[in-house]
């Protein structure tokens, strides 16, 4: 019996946008959809609220949107190559 476990609790936060876009291009995603995703992820930013104070805006360079309907699908496409590589090792 072989067992492989991956700890991915922070994986949604670590996803590299550019690597995701390359993987989508490799899967022949239409350019219109790819452009929407590139624009969508280039506009991601965050602030921290502490009581009534807000931090400055920080541009997010990686990660997918938590709670987004498309986020699990994009994450699955992103890690698919890793899962395929691990499955070859187990055979």
């Amino acid at each position: 019996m072989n067992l492989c476990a991956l700890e991915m609790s922070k994986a949604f936060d670590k996803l590299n946008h550019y690597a995701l876009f390359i993987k989508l291009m490799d899967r022949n995603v239409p350019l219109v959809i790819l452009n929407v995703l590139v624009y969508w992820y280039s506009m991601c930013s965050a602030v921290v609220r502490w009581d009534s104070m807000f931090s400055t805006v920080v541009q997010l360079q990686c990660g997918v949107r938590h709670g987004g309907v498309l986020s699990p699908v994009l994450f699955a496409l992103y890690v698919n190559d890793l899962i395929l590589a691990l499955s070859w090792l187990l055979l």
Side-chain angles (χ1 to χ4, degrees), residues 4 7 11 27 30 34-35 39 55 60 62-63 78 82 91:
C4 179
E7 197 283 310
R27 291 187 172 260
L34 191 60
N35 284 337
Y39 177 75
S55 69
L60 300 178
C62 59
Y78 185 77
L82 175 64
L91 294 178

Side-chain angles (χ1 to χ4, degrees), residues 27-88:
R27 291 187 172 260
N28 297 320
V29 171
L31 188 58
V32 174
I33 295 172
L34 191 60
N35 284 337
V36 168
L37 290 173
V38 168
Y39 177 75
W40 191 34
Y41 279 103
S42 69
M43 302 303 289
C44 289
S45 59
V47 295
V48 176
R49 185 180 74 163
W50 187 35
D51 282 335
S52 61
M53 304 290 289
F54 289 91
S55 69
T56 58
V57 177
V58 176
Q59 186 72 23
L60 300 178
Q61 301 293 324
C62 59
V64 291
R65 294 173 180 242
H66 291 261
V69 176
L70 196 56
S71 295
V73 175
L74 294 174
F75 182 75
L77 287 171
Y78 185 77
V79 297
N80 187 51
D81 294 336
L82 175 64
I83 293 169
L84 289 175
L86 290 174
S87 68
W88 278 102

